[in-house]
Amino acid sequence: MIPSRRSFLMGAAALSAAVATPEMVRAAAAQDMALSRGGADWALATADLEGDIAPRTLSLVRGRAPVDLAGTLFRNGPGKFRRPGGSATHWFDGDGLMRAFRMEGGRVTLDARFADTPKRRTETELDAVVTPGFGTAGDERARLGSNDDGNAANTSVMVAGDKIWALWEGGSPLGMNASDLGTDDFITLRRDLKGMPFQAHPRHAPDGTLWNIGLNGDKAIVWHLNADGSLINAQVLALPRASYMHDFTATARHLVIVLQPWVFERSGMPFASQFAWHPDMGTQVMVVDKADLSRSRIFELPTFSYFHLGDAWEDASGTIRFDVAAGKDVAFAVEGARVLVEGRGTVPGEPAVMSLVSLHADGRAEMVSSGVSGEFPKSDPRRAGLQRTRTVHVTGETGGRPLATGLALHDWSTGRSDAFDFGQGHVVEEMLYVPKPGRSGETDAWLVGPSINLRRGVTELHVFDAGHVSDGPVATWRADVVLPAGFHGTWKG
């Protein structure tokens, strides 16, 4: 049984330590209130932001800015969950907030704006969260005249020419202005495909094009785009099962689609309630020829759950490899993300562990665990779809306490990780590879990303040298405001 198109789409630092700015005062007050109500020390990660953040300069508080690092880190994630007339009950359902960390000449500025979606406009007018989502049921006040009326535009971001697109799972990309983060409109790639799902993790190919998929039950639409966001082709692909899927990966020649045993069973809202976990089914991997989508192979693996995959590659023997933040079940997706929004309690489930999957040409498949907890795997963009050895990922999450406290660069060829941990006073967000100009080695790169400094109640931006992660940040900038934890980002140089 396939969920209806509609049901799927609706689902799918202070300048000085002695200066207390109004933003810092509000952040401290929010944290104090959360703690006074029995909230956890990490509650700032899902605190509400009440409005846009005007551009402000961050203060350099550690190290020296790399002279060859210039560009913008765009990041997306939920920024507001709660309204007096009704609130979101799941981390994945907050209003999309686009952030821009702009770096040039050693100076960093930060600005952030909410995506101006129909969903946000409706809920601002009603002063209530009424739209169904991944884990939020919504109610009869929702206004769902089209697929994108439920689009939170809150998950990821990609660069398309001189624009950026805010990405969700169950609907269209939302065009935004890279210079001021103003909202333009939803992107229609072809008139007859208006509103079709365009997922949050497009994959870059060595030829400069992009591939993405969108799901509707046991069918997927496969998107192939130019770098400027214009459409090359869109085709429908039949899948062997209707699994929940947040991510896919790709080599230079193949699409790699991982089908976990969290499968569709019933219609209804919230979206996650449509799926049931069947560990006895195992996990399948479907490998599809990019040049001919009718040509595919299925590989069988033991059961694991996942949200995020690393870039895949294929070696001379025909073996396809990719890394995955592998979990044991879907306890976090169903219940743990609810605890995050509540800002208190114990998060169920175990942290994901970075693992490497190998799909051999003779049909064998295997997965080897690194033994290192991790999420948000990212790799060298110069090697997207090509052979590589290293993955950067966040780490440090422990059972019962959500979210990462550090990062690691894992070398799959040696099994060693170079890691740095900030401690439980930080929530560390996704880190991106930014290649050093004129260099080509995998460690010839900067690792760039933010954290929430829980004790100071502010957001910080860090730059690490990929060759010396355990030495700590080579530079850290501090804002005078705290932003809730985001999901995914991209770098525009």
Side-chain angles (χ1 to χ4, degrees):
M1 186 175 182
I2 300 173
S4 72
R5 183 170 182 267
R6 173 169 171 161
S7 68
F8 170 78
L9 293 173
M10 300 319 305
L15 297 177
S16 156
V19 176
T21 67
E23 290 85 358
M24 285 188 66
V25 172
R26 287 195 291 271
Q31 186 175 44
D32 290 345
M33 182 173 292
L35 292 171
S36 69
R37 293 176 178 175
D41 63 343
W42 44 260
L44 276 179
T46 57
D48 287 324
L49 191 67
E50 297 304 328
D52 298 340
I53 299 297
R56 75 263 328 277
T57 300
L58 276 63
S59 176
L60 182 66
V61 295
R62 173 174 174 160
R64 297 179 62 183
V67 296
D68 58 354
L69 183 60
T72 301
L73 172 64
F74 294 103
R75 285 188 49 76
N76 195 2
K80 184 171 176 61
F81 306 90
R82 305 163 190 88
R83 296 183 184 271
S87 299
T89 58
H90 196 281
W91 191 25
F92 301 171
D93 295 332
D95 290 342
L97 178 73
M98 189 66 69
R99 300 100 157 141
F101 295 88
R102 307 179 193 272
M103 309 177 66
E104 186 173 6
R107 180 175 178 266
V108 177
T109 63
L110 167 65
D111 56 305
R113 292 183 73 172
F114 281 98
D116 184 20
T117 62
K119 172 188 183 296
R120 179 167 168 83
R121 291 196 296 270
T122 293
E123 294 177 345
T124 298
E125 176 189 334
L126 298 175
D127 210 9
V129 176
V130 299
T131 309
F134 184 90
T136 301
D139 63 36
E140 68 281 355
R141 294 173 290 174
R143 300 171 184 170
L144 301 178
S146 69
N147 300 322
D148 283 324
D149 287 341
N151 192 332
N154 69 357
T155 309
S156 191
V157 53
M158 63 172 267
V159 175
D162 60 353
K163 298 289 185 181
I164 55 173
W165 293 0
L167 307 180
W168 191 47
E169 288 191 343
S172 308
L174 181 68
M176 301 183 76
N177 192 303
S179 61
D180 66 3
L181 306 184
T183 298
D184 294 333
D185 203 352
F186 289 114
I187 305 296
T188 298
L189 291 166
R190 204 170 73 196
R191 290 176 62 184
D192 62 319
L193 300 175
K194 183 179 176 63
M196 289 295 286
F198 187 92
Q199 289 197 287
H201 291 285
R203 293 287 171 177
H204 291 264
D207 64 4
T209 64
L210 290 90
W211 293 79
N212 201 5
I213 63 172
L215 289 181
N216 186 5
D218 61 357
K219 301 290 191 299
I221 183 168
V222 177
W223 303 98
H224 190 196
L225 279 65
N226 291 303
D228 65 0
S230 59
L231 182 65
I232 298 172
N233 196 14
Q235 302 178 67
V236 174
L237 175 69
L239 304 174
R241 64 170 68 157
S243 292
Y244 172 74
M245 188 190 314
H246 174 72
D247 197 1
F248 80 108
T249 188
T251 71
R253 297 174 48 221
H254 294 96
L255 306 177
V256 181
I257 298 173
V258 181
L259 302 161
Q260 62 187 326
W262 195 20
V263 294
F264 175 78
E265 283 200 345
R266 65 188 69 85
S267 297
M269 279 296 166
F271 181 67
S273 70
Q274 300 179 12
F275 296 85
W277 178 247
H278 290 287
D280 55 299
M281 295 177 64
T283 294
Q284 294 181 323
V285 183
M286 183 180 187
V287 176
V288 184
D289 191 330
K290 287 180 175 179
D292 182 355
L293 300 189
S294 68
R295 299 178 59 185
S296 65
R297 299 183 70 187
I298 301 294
F299 294 82
E300 303 285 345
L301 284 167
T303 291
F304 65 88
S305 64
Y306 79 100
F307 277 108
H308 300 113
L309 308 171
D311 284 314
W313 71 92
E314 190 168 353
D315 65 22
S317 72
T319 298
I320 292 173
R321 292 187 171 86
F322 62 92
D323 38 10
V324 54
K328 292 186 175 180
D329 54 35
V330 293
F332 176 81
V334 176
E335 295 298 334
R338 294 183 184 275
V339 174
L340 281 184
V341 175
E342 292 171 1
R344 71 188 75 197
T346 300
V347 177
E350 299 180 25
V353 175
M354 295 306 305
S355 302
L356 184 69
V357 174
S358 298
L359 309 175
H360 300 283
D362 61 6
R364 292 178 298 116
E366 61 193 13
M367 184 169 75
V368 177
S369 172
S370 71
V372 180
S373 69
E375 255 296 0
F376 302 141
K378 306 296 289 187
S379 58
D380 185 347
R382 297 166 295 191
R383 291 169 169 79
L386 303 175
Q387 191 158 354
R388 62 180 174 85
T389 62
R390 290 172 173 83
T391 298
V392 63
H393 60 88
V394 299
T395 190
E397 183 175 354
T398 57
R401 187 190 189 280
L403 307 173
T405 61
L407 79 157
L409 189 73
H410 191 79
D411 186 337
W412 293 107
S413 66
T414 65
R416 297 173 182 169
S417 286
D418 186 17
F420 180 85
D421 194 272
F422 287 91
Q424 293 197 353
H426 281 253
V427 168
V428 178
E429 304 183 45
E430 177 191 74
M431 294 272 172
L432 297 185
Y433 251 94
V434 179
K436 295 179 180 179
R439 310 280 288 277
S440 61
E442 272 193 86
T443 58
D444 292 331
W446 305 111
L447 306 177
V448 184
S451 74
I452 301 172
N453 185 326
L454 299 171
R455 295 190 174 95
R456 289 187 173 271
V458 294
T459 290
E460 296 180 345
L461 182 71
H462 310 283
V463 175
F464 287 78
D465 189 320
H468 305 278
V469 174
S470 58
D471 290 347
V474 297
T476 293
W477 293 264
R478 182 175 296 155
D480 60 351
V481 64
V482 62
L483 303 181
F487 290 145
H488 301 293
T490 192
W491 177 264
K492 179 177 172 59

